[in-house]
Amino acid sequence: MPPKNKTVYICTNCGFESPKWYGKCTSCGEWNTMQEEIVSVQKSNSAKSAAPRKTEKLLPVSYISAESEKRLKTGLRELDRVLGGGIVPGALMLIGGDPGIGKSTLLLQICQHLGSSNKIMYVSGEESLRQIKLRANRLGVVSDNLFVVCETDVDTIIQYVEQEDPDVLIIDSIQTMNLEAVASASGSVTQVRECTSAIMRVIKAAEIPTFIVSHVNKDGAIAGPKVMEHIVDCVLYFEGDRNTSYRILRCIKNRYGSTNEIGVFEMCDRGLSEVENPSMMLLSGRPHNVSGTCVACKVEGTRPLLAEVQGLVTPTGFGNPRRMATGFDYNRLSLLLAVLEKRAGYFFSNMDTYINVVGGLRLDEPASDLPVALALLSSLKDVPIGDDVVAFGEIGLAGEIRSVSSVESRISEAVRLGFSRILIPYQNLKGLKSVKGCEIIGVKTVRDAFETLI
Ligand code: TYD
Ligand code: MG
């Protein structure tokens, strides 16, 4: 008997399935995420796991051989860093990002270095062979080990993989792929999930490291159910402002390394180039001897980054004062203003207040409170706080400066870039080595901090 198809409604956010449509997903509570899909009743074999079927003898963990895994280097040190030191054999890596941000460019670019000793299969469902060739020419990718196919049928791709046995596989956009056994359209939740698991089964068995490009939806999350993020080993987001040429590669999940590492790239006319000194880039073009700016230091993963915070405080023209924050949390700004009023005695209630973090960076660490407060106070009083100052520290509701983590790495980054006065929480001073040519100042309250600078 031919298999019957049935209609189900699947939540695009969490993957919850229901025979009935709901306005609000009963599983994750999101509105308007239930999508109609036709599913073939003949169960696709997604439930089978990638593990071999035959049972093996159970081993205590101490008996498992732990030779350090050999990682493939991609030739881009920033990407290697984000991946935790290179590509692990058999790893399934997902790269998400806005259209046109440079996902295809990044993956084609690493083929040059990887291709010197590995066979690469690049499957594109979005571009024609000619378009890929033109891009490869522009990027200077001329490897004989790079094989390009335009294909969207996953069964055919799996056949290619089995025939050719590549060392690295790249799938450009999982949203264009489809499995014939699944009735719904390409890009739908079921297709994306089934295609990912089909590819995973093959590459895990053959230990082929694989990159999968995935689109993001309008909220910036990877399109498709969260299920996809659960099954892959590594989730990377490629972000950046379309108007600037800087791109940040961020790791959200990594089974083989730490998350929160970032890689910084610049999009040039010959592809992406690495930015090895992002603090320098973020601080370039800084105005000198101007009020309302302060340099902050945030830690991304293990990497300290310096960024300039600018504050502008002007008298309110209309009844209600305006507050605006770019790169900083709006509610945190309101909280800091309240603390400055109540605990430090500086009044902002009839002032419009703006905060901007230069370079498109987001300061969402509590350690960024102090530089933001200093930028605001400097603008309010119209006194510059000095070009040689870096500050970091969390501000408590009593106006106290609280200790933060990774103090030494923050200080060494500031010293490396030539800053000579560093404001840190007083409690962090304990056990800190003094640095030659640099004054490290421990501060207890916001008022203290501002008054030591002016
Ligand atoms: P692309 O990799 O196609 O984006 P995605 O795959 O994420 O959709 O990136 C294309 C953008 O990058 C496009 O706007 C042009 C720009 N670009 C350059 O500036 N220089 C280059 O050398 C290349 C190849 C692209
Ligand atoms: Mg692309």
Side-chain angles (χ1 to χ4, degrees):
M1 216 171 72
K4 272 191 264 159
N5 288 342
K6 65 170 184 173
T7 303
V8 292
Y9 295 87
I10 302 185
C11 171
T12 49
N13 186 46
C14 66
F16 170 71
E17 276 186 34
S18 140
K20 216 175 112 200
W21 187 84
Y22 294 103
K24 182 182 177 186
C25 171
T26 52
S27 171
C28 66
E30 283 293 311
W31 285 90
N32 281 333
T33 52
M34 302 299 283
Q35 219 177 52
E36 180 179 354
E37 277 186 30
I38 315 283
V39 191
S40 151
V41 172
Q42 183 191 19
K43 196 75 189 125
S44 56
N45 43 6
S46 72
K48 287 185 209 158
S49 79
R53 286 282 187 74
K54 64 174 190 329
T55 51
E56 285 173 11
K57 202 166 161 264
L58 296 182
L59 277 182
V61 71
S62 51
Y63 278 51
I64 301 173
S65 76
E67 312 150 19
S68 68
E69 76 265 313
K70 216 176 136 279
R71 291 183 183 241
L72 276 180
K73 296 286 179 209
T74 60
L76 286 176
R77 260 185 294 165
E78 294 290 301
L79 177 60
D80 287 340
R81 183 218 309 277
V82 175
L83 291 173
I87 305 174
V88 177
L92 185 57
M93 293 155 283
L94 198 66
I95 295 195
D98 288 336
I101 205 80
K103 303 178 293 292
S104 312
T105 309
L106 177 74
L107 292 180
L108 197 56
Q109 212 168 328
I110 59 172
C111 292
Q112 177 65 18
H113 182 86
L114 282 175
S116 58
S117 52
N118 302 285
K119 184 170 172 181
I120 307 167
M121 187 168 139
Y122 186 106
V123 184
S124 176
E126 295 191 342
E127 286 162 279
S128 68
L129 289 178
R130 216 180 94 78
Q131 283 170 319
I132 298 173
K133 174 68 189 160
L134 285 176
R135 190 201 294 257
N137 279 349
R138 193 156 147 195
L139 299 173
V141 180
V142 285
S143 175
D144 279 340
N145 272 338
L146 170 63
F147 296 86
V148 186
V149 260
C150 292
E151 184 56 66
T152 54
D153 183 49
V154 174
D155 290 320
T156 320
I157 294 171
I158 290 174
Q159 267 180 21
Y160 274 126
V161 172
E162 282 166 354
Q163 258 171 37
E164 300 285 331
D165 191 25
D167 298 316
V168 180
L169 176 67
I170 296 172
I171 308 267
D172 198 344
S173 133
I174 191 74
Q175 274 78 15
T176 56
M177 299 295 148
N178 73 306
L179 260 177
E180 226 174 78
V182 181
S184 41
S186 312
S188 66
V189 178
T190 333
Q191 271 298 359
V192 166
R193 188 177 58 199
E194 296 301 318
C195 292
T196 316
S197 13
I199 294 168
M200 187 187 77
R201 274 195 297 280
V202 177
I203 65 119
K204 288 282 171 188
E207 292 226 319
I208 305 171
T210 301
F211 285 98
I212 294 185
V213 172
S214 177
H215 295 170
V216 295
N217 58 26
K218 61 178 187 305
D219 304 325
I222 285 190
K226 277 270 174 274
V227 184
M228 197 162 74
E229 293 190 30
H230 289 308
I231 56 182
V232 301
D233 299 312
C234 202
V235 181
L236 308 175
Y237 273 87
F238 210 19
E239 345 172 306
D241 193 0
R242 290 269 220 108
N243 305 319
T244 63
S245 57
Y246 293 109
R247 305 281 185 265
I248 293 180
L249 188 66
R250 198 181 286 279
C251 182
I252 306 294
K253 164 182 174 178
N254 193 354
R255 285 188 181 148
Y256 312 112
S258 83
T259 51
N260 300 328
E261 283 294 352
I262 65 161
V264 185
F265 297 92
E266 187 179 2
M267 181 64 96
C268 317
D269 53 351
R270 290 180 60 80
L272 292 158
S273 63
E274 299 171 78
V275 178
E276 298 202 345
N277 196 349
S279 297
M280 186 103 92
M281 162 205 108
L282 289 165
L283 293 179
S284 62
R286 201 156 57 101
H288 293 288
N289 220 9
V290 176
S291 67
T293 104
C294 181
V295 176
C297 186
K298 77 176 288 198
V299 173
E300 288 270 7
T302 53
R303 183 182 209 180
L305 277 181
L306 298 185
E308 185 190 349
V309 185
Q310 296 192 324
L312 187 66
V313 179
T314 55
T316 304
F318 300 100
N320 275 342
R322 267 198 88 178
R323 273 89 176 83
M324 212 184 83
T326 314
F328 190 72
D329 184 43
Y330 177 84
N331 292 325
R332 191 86 197 162
L333 172 65
S334 306
L335 187 142
L336 288 182
L337 290 173
V339 172
L340 291 178
E341 287 217 11
K342 177 90 180 171
R343 306 290 181 189
Y346 295 102
F347 289 93
F348 290 89
S349 46
N350 52 356
M351 295 290 188
D352 288 346
T353 310
Y354 305 93
I355 278 289
N356 179 36
V357 181
V358 179
L361 205 71
R362 264 203 81 78
L363 296 183
D364 32 25
E365 230 191 346
S368 317
D369 289 350
L370 183 59
V372 169
L374 290 176
L376 290 174
L377 292 177
S378 156
S379 177
L380 179 75
K381 294 286 169 198
D382 207 10
V383 276
I385 54 176
D387 297 335
D388 55 345
V389 176
V390 173
F392 54 86
E394 178 180 353
I395 297 180
L397 293 192
E400 83 280 18
I401 313 277
R402 311 184 68 106
S403 57
V404 298
S405 59
S406 321
V407 179
E408 269 136 30
S409 63
R410 291 179 211 253
I411 291 179
S412 59
E413 177 76 355
V415 172
R416 194 172 70 81
L417 282 150
F419 287 87
S420 54
R421 279 192 295 166
I422 306 173
L423 255 67
I424 72 167
Y426 185 76
Q427 285 154 339
N428 282 129
L429 267 183
K430 256 184 272 153
L432 216 58
K433 283 188 225 101
S434 64
V435 185
K436 221 176 112 196
C438 176
E439 193 187 354
I440 297 173
I441 309 164
V443 284
K444 287 182 176 163
T445 62
V446 202
R447 211 189 165 94
D448 243 16
F450 187 55
E451 283 169 1
T452 45
L453 291 177
I454 53 173

